[in-house]
Amino acid sequence: MGNFIIFALIVVYGGGVWKFWNGFGRTNFNPTLTNRIGLSLLWPALFITNPSYRRNFRKALKG
């Protein structure tokens, strides 16, 4: 059961990275490669702590 939970978390994290990366153009962020990589990889922490990032993340997912 523990392995399934870890696998599910990895899938959710990877899906979030993928969806944000593909929808990055719909956000208000500066479109540099560094921003795109950093904001994509740090999405769980930023989503929890930053309301502005949350709004932009939702914009990116509305594709």
Side-chain angles (χ1 to χ4, degrees), residues 25-41:
R26 289 185 285 277
T27 66
N28 296 332
F29 296 124
N30 189 7
T32 63
L33 182 61
T34 307
N35 275 353
R36 194 172 194 169
I37 291 170
L39 294 172
S40 294
L41 293 177

Side-chain angles (χ1 to χ4, degrees), residues 13 17 20-21 35-46 53:
Y13 175 76
V17 169
F20 187 77
W21 182 272
N35 275 353
R36 194 172 194 169
I37 291 170
L39 294 172
S40 294
L41 293 177
L42 295 174
W43 77 263
L46 292 170
Y53 183 85

